[in-house]
Amino acid sequence: MADVKSANNPLFLREEELRQAIELLFFAYRDFTAGPDEILKEYKFGRAHHRVIHFVGRNEGMTVSELLDILRITKQSLNRVLSTLIDRGFIEQQTGLEDRRQRCLYLTEEGRKLEQKVSRVQRELVAKAFREAGGDAVAGYRKVLAGLIDDASRDRILGRIQNS
Amino acid sequence: MADVKSANNPLFLREEELRQAIELLFFAYRDFTAGPDEILKEYKFGRAHHRVIHFVGRNEGMTVSELLDILRITKQSLNRVLSTLIDRGFIEQQTGLEDRRQRCLYLTEEGRKLEQKVSRVQRELVAKAFREAGGDAVAGYRKVLAGLIDDASRDRILGRIQNS
DNA sequence: AATATATGTCAACATGGCTGACGTAAAATC
DNA sequence: GATTTTACGTCAGCCATGTTGACATATATT
């Protein structure tokens, strides 16, 4: 009765299934970012600052260009948040050793503390979801999300993310 | 050699694994929204309009309050995008039958066309990722993402999303 | 020496959040 | 029937974060 449509029209089920997967991602992302957002608000920082701290923390010494590539924003946009992070002592720059035009980015002690604090709530949320879902589900999660990533950047990203 | 850290300190691996899962979600979401963003730009619409069209499309006749609950934004923010969508003929309102204070929201013919067009690219992306990952992986994807959703809203959301 | 690259910076603008205040119609309650 | 609550709309202003375009400076590369 209830599945007349799906019984008669497998394409309908397929479309419905995909729409549900899309919504799931929307809601998951919404709640996944809620924790950090709240903490960062105390510092008057936003999601943009979070992203910078996150990626610099995971790629100490990365250059500004590399960061721009990852974030896919303009250097003017980045500069606004980056310079406040530097001014307020969460990030340091060091002139590149090989190429002195480059500014290599590092978290300060303060920056590392904030990164830890913010990342902790997010890691705890993901850990809970992983625990509840089980190891096989986690592998599936990885596979599907990897498939959503732009072909052009997938390898580079998975390269950094390759674990086991 | 390479796994000295993980061999000696399982917590390190755990933390690293979680950080990678977090990054994966970041990148997947970034690329997942890129397609729609591009199409909507032609209409001078943004992600906010997309969300409204998406949810109204999936819940024809929903009220403004219900939409606000889902989006978790203020009515003033919603009103900005909602009223342009109405003015430009993508969404219609109808006074609630039982409760005449409510405005029930519907896609117009035009709105449905746009919804289809935008959702198509997203569905194709997800379909590709699902195909490549396989059925088990898809189940895992669902489980993990469901676990990321806020406890308070999970049931309501999964209720609407319960498929199969 | 000329050109290209990495970065910074100024200015102006758009989008989409927010708060606060106020208004109106309809429903619910006393 | 009067009062209060609810659903929604709206005005005004602020903030965060994205954009484009133009220009500057130091360093590498050719």
Side-chain angles (χ1 to χ4, degrees), chain A residues 122-133:
Chain A
Q122 216 160 31
R123 277 181 282 125
E124 279 168 357
L125 177 64
V126 174
K128 191 206 63 137
F130 275 14
R131 241 184 348 258
E132 289 171 1

Side-chain angles (χ1 to χ4, degrees), chain A residues 29-62:
Chain A
Y29 197 80
R30 182 191 70 175
D31 294 343
F32 163 75
T33 51
D37 283 357
E38 210 173 326
I39 293 176
L40 289 156
K41 219 162 75 177
E42 298 165 22
Y43 294 76
K44 307 252 184 180
F45 286 148
R47 214 171 278 183
H49 302 88
H50 180 197
R51 292 193 281 255
V52 170
I53 286 181
H54 170 88
F55 285 109
V56 172
R58 278 181 64 70
N59 299 282
E60 295 270 347
M62 78 191 304

Side-chain angles (χ1 to χ4, degrees), chain A residues 91-109:
Chain A
I91 284 188
E92 292 185 318
Q93 289 183 316
Q94 280 178 30
T95 298
L97 292 183
E98 290 182 25
D99 185 334
R100 292 167 45 80
R101 290 171 302 181
Q102 296 178 334
R103 296 300 121 101
C104 300
L105 304 171
Y106 299 87
L107 292 182
T108 61
E109 222 13 74

